[in-house]
Amino acid sequence: MLKLASLIFRNVLRNRRRSLLTLASTAVSLAVLGFLVAIYQGFFFAEQASPTEALRLICSHKVSLANVLPASHFARIANMPGVQAVSSWTWYQGKFKDGKPEEFFARFAVDPIDIQKVRPDFEAPIDQWAEFQRNRTGCAVARKVAEKNNFKIGDSINIKGDIYPVNLELHVSMIFDCPKNNECLMFHREYLTELLKADGNKNADSVGTFLILAQSPDDVPRIARAIDSAFENSPWPTKTQTEREFSLSFMAFMGNIKMYLAVVCAAVTFTILLVSANTVAMSVRERTREMAILRTLGYAPAEIMQVVLGESVFIALIGGLFGVALAKVLTLVMAAFDPYGQGMPFHWEAGLIVAVFAVVIGLLSALVPAWFASRRNIVESLRFTG
């Protein structure tokens, strides 16, 4: 096919308007495909946020996250073989200021000493860690949350309760750095427990989830099975998952995301295929007599087929490259609307998948027209006037 490259290139430039329109439609469609691939990759094949992510598990109530666990589970979990550290990790929510969406950030009740062991990727000066652990009403705030809300060390933060019918009066004791998508505010679980007991709440000494750090990756599945087996017949059965599995479980609320993305990708691919096949068929039909002349000059049917396939693949591949660039732009635009500027990264694997799809689409869309063009009778083709 290399010796036919100049002929292929000239044929592509022959009808520039049609080639550009085909290239543009292919680029836009493949950009959508690349964006969907980037979303899929970000959801299910994201890189680990920190080296300890693979060692962490989250233990919650088996029925629902809305159900709490007794704080007494802590001691039994901590004494299980392979467990390095445990901390409570209770979602408080609450209402900050006016409760507007732009004012929202995650708030968790934790065990301040144990959380430092479980989350070594939360980095802050030693004196701030000490102050956070000492001050019962102290709180630790992720740096991006602090910058967004102009929190400084020593500032007071008042949060009105909603899930829990008590209000928090906190003081910023620590500002920490953390892996992306882990930005939050942490405060003492015992402070929350004291407020709930004073309010007469029957679930005062309870925990939403337990965050567990295993000693090695090999211990992770064994610890999960051991915890769930230990509490299987108790009034508070548990469901223990890795941190990644726990995060992905929230996507189940939206349905079968894998199926949705697969269906959309299939629809986009089929649409590109129809557009490309129609364009190639029109081009081949217009050049029926020319191909017959090439046959009379000694071009073999295989070479005619290679010319048609080469034109289609060339346009599809160039469209694919533009599509990759456009998909990259789309992910950057999405990152711009992310309050923390992280978005969904576009990795080289997604670009490679788009390029492969472009080549396959180019081949499939031209296969039938190329076959008939290379096998058509020369005399009939020379008489063709359509």
Side-chain angles (χ1 to χ4, degrees):
M1 185 179 287
L2 291 177
K3 66 178 182 180
L4 302 172
S6 60
L7 179 60
I8 292 172
F9 185 69
R10 284 198 297 271
N11 285 338
V12 169
L13 297 178
R14 187 173 188 171
N15 192 327
R16 289 182 173 85
R17 179 181 297 175
R18 182 162 59 201
S19 296
L20 286 174
L21 289 175
T22 305
L23 190 150
S25 62
T26 303
V28 172
S29 300
L30 288 174
V32 174
L33 180 64
F35 185 65
L36 293 174
V37 172
I39 292 176
Y40 183 89
Q41 189 178 30
F43 281 156
F44 300 102
F45 298 98
E47 298 175 357
Q48 290 188 2
S50 69
T52 56
E53 180 181 332
L55 299 177
R56 277 193 297 272
L57 302 99
I58 296 179
C59 176
S60 60
H61 198 286
K62 186 177 182 179
V63 176
S64 168
L65 282 173
N67 294 38
V68 295
L69 297 171
S72 59
H73 276 18
F74 180 96
R76 292 186 64 181
I77 294 173
N79 290 325
M80 288 185 177
V83 173
Q84 183 174 343
V86 185
S87 174
S88 61
W89 189 253
T90 301
W91 175 263
Y92 174 80
Q93 189 166 304
K95 180 180 177 182
F96 176 65
K97 291 184 178 179
D98 299 324
K100 297 179 180 178
E102 59 269 21
E103 297 171 347
F104 174 79
F105 52 87
R107 301 129 198 172
F108 292 98
V110 303
D111 301 316
I113 295 177
D114 295 316
I115 196 63
Q116 187 177 14
K117 302 173 185 176
V118 177
R119 294 304 308 243
D121 49 359
F122 285 2
E123 301 176 352
I126 296 177
D127 59 329
Q128 292 187 20
W129 268 112
E131 176 60 21
F132 169 52
Q133 294 167 0
R134 183 193 64 80
N135 187 354
R136 183 61 61 90
T137 61
C139 67
V141 186
R143 188 170 302 280
K144 289 183 179 179
V145 174
E147 291 174 351
K148 179 183 176 182
N149 295 277
N150 296 317
F151 294 150
K152 303 289 190 300
I153 298 293
D155 285 355
S156 297
I157 301 177
N158 297 316
I159 303 176
K160 185 178 181 180
D162 44 20
I163 296 176
Y164 293 94
V166 291
N167 301 329
L168 301 178
E169 297 180 2
L170 305 173
H171 301 88
V172 180
S173 300
M174 183 177 87
I175 295 177
F176 62 94
D177 296 294
C178 61
K180 63 179 183 178
N181 299 325
N182 284 268
E183 293 80 11
C184 64
L185 177 148
M186 302 184 296
F187 62 95
H188 290 232
R189 182 183 67 84
E190 290 187 3
Y191 176 46
L192 177 61
T193 300
E194 290 174 357
L195 293 175
L196 291 173
K197 286 181 177 179
D199 192 59
N201 193 294
K202 63 179 181 179
N203 291 322
D205 199 15
S206 62
V207 173
T209 58
F210 289 101
L211 196 58
I212 304 157
L213 182 68
Q215 293 178 353
S216 70
D218 294 335
D219 290 324
V220 170
R222 182 177 54 77
I223 291 172
R225 290 192 299 268
I227 294 173
D228 294 342
S229 296
F231 302 111
E232 185 175 7
N233 297 318
S234 76
W236 304 278
T238 61
K239 181 179 181 180
T240 307
Q241 305 168 282
T242 64
E243 196 170 75
R244 175 64 58 85
E245 291 171 343
F246 182 79
S247 300
L248 291 177
S249 67
F250 286 94
M251 295 176 58
F253 297 130
M254 298 183 287
N256 192 336
I257 299 298
K258 288 184 178 181
M259 185 188 72
Y260 295 157
L261 292 176
V263 169
V264 175
C265 286
V268 170
T269 303
F270 184 67
T271 303
I272 308 171
L273 195 59
L274 289 180
V275 172
S276 300
N278 182 61
T279 303
V280 174
M282 290 175 57
S283 178
V284 170
R285 181 180 176 84
E286 291 174 357
R287 289 157 38 208
T288 298
R289 297 182 65 185
E290 295 179 16
M291 291 183 180
I293 293 173
L294 291 176
R295 291 284 304 281
T296 62
L297 294 175
Y299 280 79
E303 292 178 312
I304 299 297
M305 193 170 183
Q306 290 175 31
V307 169
V308 178
L309 290 174
E311 294 172 20
S312 178
V313 171
F314 182 80
I315 292 176
L317 186 57
I318 296 301
L321 295 177
F322 278 105
V324 169
L326 188 56
K328 175 67 175 178
V329 172
L330 289 174
T331 57
L332 293 175
V333 170
M334 187 172 71
F337 287 96
D338 186 332
Y340 299 114
Q342 292 154 8
M344 192 73 68
F346 188 86
H347 297 289
W348 66 269
E349 293 92 345
L352 180 61
I353 290 172
V354 171
V356 170
F357 264 81
V359 172
V360 171
I361 288 169
L363 287 172
L364 292 178
S365 62
L367 195 58
V368 173
W371 173 264
F372 283 105
S374 64
R375 294 297 184 273
R376 190 162 185 172
N377 183 276
I378 295 177
V379 176
E380 292 180 0
S381 299
L382 289 172
R383 291 174 179 173
F384 181 78
T385 57

